[in-house]
């Protein structure tokens, strides 16, 4: 019991440290710097400490100080309770969904079995969809409670867009569930030990459709009509400032990480290196002894998983700074007239192939 408790606490602290201590503060800088590179300009370069001006790494620190010290403003006539709680509803699901995503396999350390997932649920995929859908309430409540027409319009757009793409997104991974026969994410990841059993080869159309829906669900460009600064000032969070604004901002960035982790687990071999199985890793590191080999193999698997996650973060940033914003009617048409029918066709083809 004590060993299990220590293992659980260690995994929770690791995921919180990676998400809130690394990805959350650095992704703002990454977005600025990547957009600058793509647009042939210098980018973030003003926060200067000991000559680090050129890379601008301290912009995130400057942003944090500014947001922590900024006035917490609530408009006259706004619903104070819902205005305050909305950012929490948007941020918390982005963190909780990582609880069921495996970032490594199973290892035996000092006689104890270690499973690198916080909560190994039989219905892990359903858990993700259940909590991801709660983020919609945070956006809608934030827009409605602000007593602002711009915020209300942004909240209405967000509710229609997010609910529409949730339906389509659920259908895009039905093929993956059919192929691997499980809702358990560690089980799906374990079955992709063979390179040619990776989800991208088993469900190529499902991958494209799922990534499209996930980006739309996160309201990132080219699907950012709920914000649409050229039309709605800033959309659903127009009337937010300080740390409440930062929580909406952090929720969006953490969802980028969560999307990347889900795509890695379902379609890109999870923690596996191409053509390298866990037993092969253990045999390669056997010079370090049984426990040493397990530790080294575990570190390689964790590094492999997060390297893939970082690649998909880069891909989402690239898409965000490449494609122009869709019109609202185009977003709805893409969902209901293209993604949804293709998802159903993908399920039909997958079922026929499995039957044959």
């Amino acid at each position: 019991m004590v060993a299990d408790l220590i293992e659980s606490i260690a995994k929770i602290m690791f995921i919180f440290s990676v998400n809130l201590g690394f990805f959350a503060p650095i992704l703002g800088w990454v977005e600025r710097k990547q957009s600058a590179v793509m647009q042939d300009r210098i980018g973030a370069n003003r926060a200067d400490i000991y000559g680090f001006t050129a890379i601008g790494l301290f912009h995130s620190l400057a942003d944090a100080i500014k947001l922590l010290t900024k006035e917490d403003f609530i408009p006259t006539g706004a619903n104070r309770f819902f205005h305050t709680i909305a950012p929490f509803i948007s941020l918390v699901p982005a963190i909780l969904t990582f609880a069921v995503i495996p970032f490594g396999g199973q290892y035996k350390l000092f006689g104890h079995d270690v499973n690198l997932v916080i909560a190994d649920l039989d219905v892990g995929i359903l858990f993700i969809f259940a909590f991801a859908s709660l983020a919609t309430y945070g956006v809608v409540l934030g827009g409605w409670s602000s007593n602002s027409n711009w915020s209300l319009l942004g909240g209405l757009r967000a509710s229609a867009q997010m609910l529409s793409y949730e339906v389509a997104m659920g259908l895009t991974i039905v093929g993956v569930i059919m192929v691997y026969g499980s809702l358990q994410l560690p089980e799906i990841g374990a079955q992709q030990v063979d390179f040619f059993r990776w989800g991208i080869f088993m469900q190529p159309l499902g991958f494209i459709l799922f990534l499209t829906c996930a980006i739309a669900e996160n309201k990132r460009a080219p699907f950012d009509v709920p914000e649409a600064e050229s039309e709605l000032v800033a959309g659903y969070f127009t009337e937010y400032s300080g740390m409440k604004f930062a929580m909406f901002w952090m929720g969006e960035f953490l969802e980028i990480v969560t999307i990347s982790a889900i795509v890695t687990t379902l379609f890109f071999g999870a923690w596996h290196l191409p053509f390298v199985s866990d037993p092969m890793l253990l045999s390669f590191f056997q010079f370090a002894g049984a426990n040493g080999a397990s530790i080294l193999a575990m570190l390689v698997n964790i590094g492999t998983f997060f390297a893939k996650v970082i690649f998909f973060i880069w891909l989402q940033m690239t898409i965000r700074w490449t494609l122009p914003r869709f019109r609202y009617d185009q977003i709805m048409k893409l969902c209901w007239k293209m993604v949804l029918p293709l998802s159903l066709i993908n399920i039909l083809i997958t079922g026929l192939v499995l039957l044959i």
Side-chain angles (χ1 to χ4, degrees), residues 137-180:
Y137 293 97
V139 173
V140 174
L141 287 173
W144 170 80
S145 65
S146 295
N147 193 31
S148 164
N149 291 336
W150 309 119
S151 300
L152 179 60
L153 285 171
L156 289 172
R157 285 185 177 186
S159 62
Q161 176 178 321
M162 294 172 75
L163 291 173
S164 298
Y165 277 92
E166 275 178 17
V167 174
M169 185 164 59
L171 291 172
T172 60
I173 62 169
V174 171
V176 175
I177 296 170
M178 293 168 68
V179 168
Y180 297 113

Side-chain angles (χ1 to χ4, degrees), residues 97-244:
T97 48
F98 229 102
V100 296
I101 299 175
F103 52 94
Q106 295 185 357
Y107 312 89
K108 198 168 191 66
L109 292 176
F110 306 102
H112 178 72
D113 292 325
V114 176
N115 187 12
L116 291 186
V117 60
I118 294 175
D120 190 2
L121 302 182
D122 293 336
V123 289
I125 293 179
L126 296 182
F127 178 91
I128 288 175
F129 277 93
F131 275 93
S133 63
L134 294 178
T136 308
Y137 293 97
V139 173
V140 174
L141 287 173
W144 170 80
S145 65
S146 295
N147 193 31
S148 164
N149 291 336
W150 309 119
S151 300
L152 179 60
L153 285 171
L156 289 172
R157 285 185 177 186
S159 62
Q161 176 178 321
M162 294 172 75
L163 291 173
S164 298
Y165 277 92
E166 275 178 17
V167 174
M169 185 164 59
L171 291 172
T172 60
I173 62 169
V174 171
V176 175
I177 296 170
M178 293 168 68
V179 168
Y180 297 113
S182 177
L183 292 168
Q184 198 172 3
L185 288 169
E187 175 64 23
I188 293 174
Q191 291 189 47
Q192 296 181 65
V193 62
D194 182 356
F195 177 65
F196 295 106
R197 286 274 296 170
W198 283 18
I200 186 63
F201 299 117
M202 309 298 288
Q203 287 285 295
L205 179 59
F207 162 69
I208 296 171
L209 296 176
F210 177 80
L211 185 60
T212 302
C213 291
I215 294 173
E217 180 75 6
N218 195 20
K219 311 174 296 301
R220 296 276 293 175
F223 301 97
D224 61 337
V225 292
E227 302 173 25
E229 67 280 351
S230 59
E231 308 161 32
L232 303 179
V233 188
Y236 62 92
F237 56 72
T238 298
E239 304 296 342
Y240 280 90
S241 63
M243 284 307 297
K244 291 179 184 175

